[in-house]
Amino acid sequence: MYEKERRVFDWNNAEMRVLYRVLDWAERRGVDVFLQQMWGTSHGTPIPAMRKTRSGGCATPHTPSRRGLTDRRTRGSSDTGERVQLHPLGVGANEPGYDSFSWWQDSDLKAVPFSPSLKAVREDFDRRGLDVPVSGPDRTDLPELKPEEIDFNSYIGAFDLHSYNAVFDSMGWGYNLAEAERRMRQWAEWAHARNKPFFISEFGTMAYGRGHNDAGPACYQSGLKNASLVVRGINAGVDGFNRWSFTNRGDLDGQWQLLRTWDTSRDRLLDVFSPQPNAYYQFAMLSRFLPKYSAVLATHVEAPYLEEDRKVVAAALRTPKGNLTVVLVNENHQAADLSLELTGLPQTVRMHRYAFRKEDEDRCQVDLHPQPVLTSATCSRTAFRP
């Protein structure tokens, strides 16, 4: 859309104007951007056989310094809360190795190494003085870490993967969430050992449906799985998450959008936009109290009656302003009595409780107001029933 031919750029077409509008909105609100590219022209790729494909990693993005196309995230220590500021940019091949969406889809090739393109992007950025790290390998679905296959470490500043097949432990489709957690920890430890962040740059379950305008990705059960994956990922060391897809119209591989903007039956914009039931509010519960640069705290869940398949998961974080957030996900689809114990607090804290429950399923409007206040003295135990 911006490079119709090699070195022939158009920064003022309709799609680029939409992108600038999003970036201007983000800049005004201090929101950081993780830029990813898909279905771009590949006339500039250093691999001759790939020059006719739809999606490649070598086209140079327009990166005005004032717009700051960076994604600043923090990796926090579970003990000290030490914060490290990170600045990755995701650009390059979309899901290499996955035939349906990979960057060689329109070529006769079955497997193409994408490291040369990552190298070309890094070298081009360096020539232009763009000190913006590239993120990769962008593979799906949470593949096992195989260090011998990582020949691109010197070209990137952050590692990232996608996750679409992780499901509840009892479902038997794809791999279970415990396995997803193990794989995320593998990659996070590998990246952190090299002083680089690790992101899940796309996530969302396809276990309940996919394709065209299937409502499965936006159902209540999908949101619950997604929340569990994020909580497990936080504890495994993942530095940030991008849910697919905030701006999807609802007719691309299922209803992934957070806002309803498109009439799929008449193929046009809706007259009135509205929150997507379940998906919007469930993601709001995950994101609204987890600001940038929050530190991850040590968390332990004791649930003897659910210990076998770990249906209750939790993560705790401390925000830069010192606020405490505890995210709890009950995957059991049954109510559970629980008590919350906070240890090592320097002073008494007052906590507000928010919840998105089964009774909120498929509702178009949900009030996420705080429920009864919980006051906790240092090292105390507080019981509540969600």
Side-chain angles (χ1 to χ4, degrees):
M1 62 184 182
Y2 57 80
E3 187 180 9
K4 302 300 182 180
E5 299 179 23
R6 182 173 173 82
R7 301 302 179 189
V8 177
F9 298 96
D10 175 12
W11 306 120
N12 199 39
N13 59 65
E15 293 184 14
M16 288 302 298
R17 290 199 299 271
V18 170
L19 175 60
Y20 286 138
R21 190 173 181 182
V22 172
L23 295 177
D24 287 341
W25 181 95
E27 186 177 48
R28 288 194 301 269
R29 289 161 177 80
V31 175
D32 297 319
V33 174
F34 189 102
L35 180 64
Q36 299 187 82
Q37 176 172 300
M38 181 176 177
W39 308 141
T41 55
S42 301
H43 301 295
T45 179
I47 305 175
M50 294 302 301
R51 286 175 185 163
K52 65 177 181 177
T53 63
R54 285 194 293 182
S55 181
C58 195
T60 303
H62 178 45
T63 316
S65 58
R66 76 170 188 89
R67 296 187 182 274
L69 300 186
T70 61
D71 182 64
R72 298 174 175 85
R73 300 295 176 94
T74 298
R75 181 171 73 254
S77 164
S78 60
D79 298 319
T80 66
E82 177 184 359
R83 296 191 296 273
V84 181
Q85 189 165 320
L86 307 163
H87 311 263
L89 165 68
V91 63
N94 179 66
E95 297 186 350
Y98 193 77
D99 289 342
S100 296
F101 291 97
S102 194
W103 64 321
W104 61 72
Q105 180 178 347
D106 294 339
S107 76
D108 297 328
L109 304 174
K110 296 301 181 183
V112 175
F114 66 99
S115 296
S117 277
L118 293 177
K119 180 176 183 291
V121 169
R122 180 69 270 154
E123 290 175 348
D124 195 45
F125 275 23
D126 291 344
R127 281 194 299 270
R128 297 168 182 267
L130 295 174
D131 186 19
V132 181
V134 174
S135 183
D138 203 59
R139 289 176 178 147
T140 198
D141 275 294
L142 277 182
E144 290 268 7
L145 174 67
K146 297 180 180 179
E148 66 276 10
E149 296 181 358
I150 300 178
D151 58 353
F152 49 83
N153 179 61
S154 59
Y155 312 135
I156 65 173
F159 288 88
D160 77 293
L161 297 173
H162 297 176
S163 173
Y164 288 106
N165 284 356
V167 296
F168 294 137
D169 292 351
S170 61
M171 292 185 65
W173 183 89
Y175 46 83
N176 63 39
L177 285 165
E179 174 64 14
E181 185 176 348
R182 185 186 68 83
R183 296 184 185 187
M184 288 188 290
R185 181 171 286 107
Q186 278 186 328
W187 280 91
E189 291 176 351
W190 170 271
H192 296 168
R194 286 150 184 80
N195 197 33
K196 297 177 182 179
F198 170 61
F199 299 114
I200 302 299
S201 52
E202 289 183 22
F203 76 94
T205 186
M206 294 181 175
Y208 300 97
R210 57 166 293 183
H212 189 44
N213 61 353
D214 194 303
C219 71
Y220 176 84
Q221 292 84 354
S222 291
L224 199 61
K225 190 292 300 182
N226 293 337
S228 178
L229 181 76
V230 169
V231 169
R232 293 170 186 267
I234 289 173
N235 290 327
V238 179
D239 298 295
F241 304 82
N242 290 329
R243 183 190 177 279
W244 174 266
S245 158
F246 290 102
T247 57
N248 181 35
R249 301 188 305 188
D251 58 359
L252 175 64
D253 217 13
Q255 295 182 23
W256 299 95
Q257 70 275 15
L258 295 183
L259 294 176
R260 284 179 162 174
T261 63
W262 195 256
D263 185 336
T264 57
S265 62
R266 292 184 289 178
D267 198 31
R268 70 174 183 84
L269 281 174
L270 293 169
D271 295 329
V272 178
F273 298 169
S274 61
Q276 176 73 31
N278 304 316
Y280 179 90
Y281 296 102
Q282 287 172 315
F283 196 73
M285 292 300 300
L286 277 175
S287 61
R288 67 186 301 195
F289 302 116
L290 302 179
K292 296 178 294 185
Y293 315 133
S294 293
V296 179
L297 307 177
T299 307
H300 176 67
V301 177
E302 292 183 0
Y305 58 99
L306 300 173
E307 192 65 32
E308 183 177 350
D309 49 9
R310 295 184 59 209
K311 293 297 187 182
V312 175
V313 292
L317 301 97
R318 184 171 58 247
T319 72
K321 293 184 178 180
N323 294 321
L324 181 66
T325 297
V326 179
V327 183
L328 175 70
V329 182
N330 178 8
E331 304 169 17
N332 198 44
H333 298 290
Q334 298 177 8
D337 292 341
L338 45 121
S339 61
L340 174 65
E341 182 177 358
L342 308 173
T343 62
L345 297 179
Q347 59 188 10
T348 299
V349 298
R350 185 177 66 174
M351 302 192 71
H352 300 270
R353 179 168 44 130
Y354 298 81
F356 187 90
R357 308 181 186 182
K358 180 68 174 177
E359 52 261 39
D360 298 316
E361 182 177 9
D362 295 333
R363 290 175 56 187
C364 294
Q365 294 292 331
V366 179
D367 293 327
L368 298 180
H369 295 311
Q371 298 170 22
V373 172
L374 306 173
T375 301
S376 175
T378 304
C379 303
S380 73
R381 182 182 297 271
T382 302
F384 63 95
R385 290 169 176 78

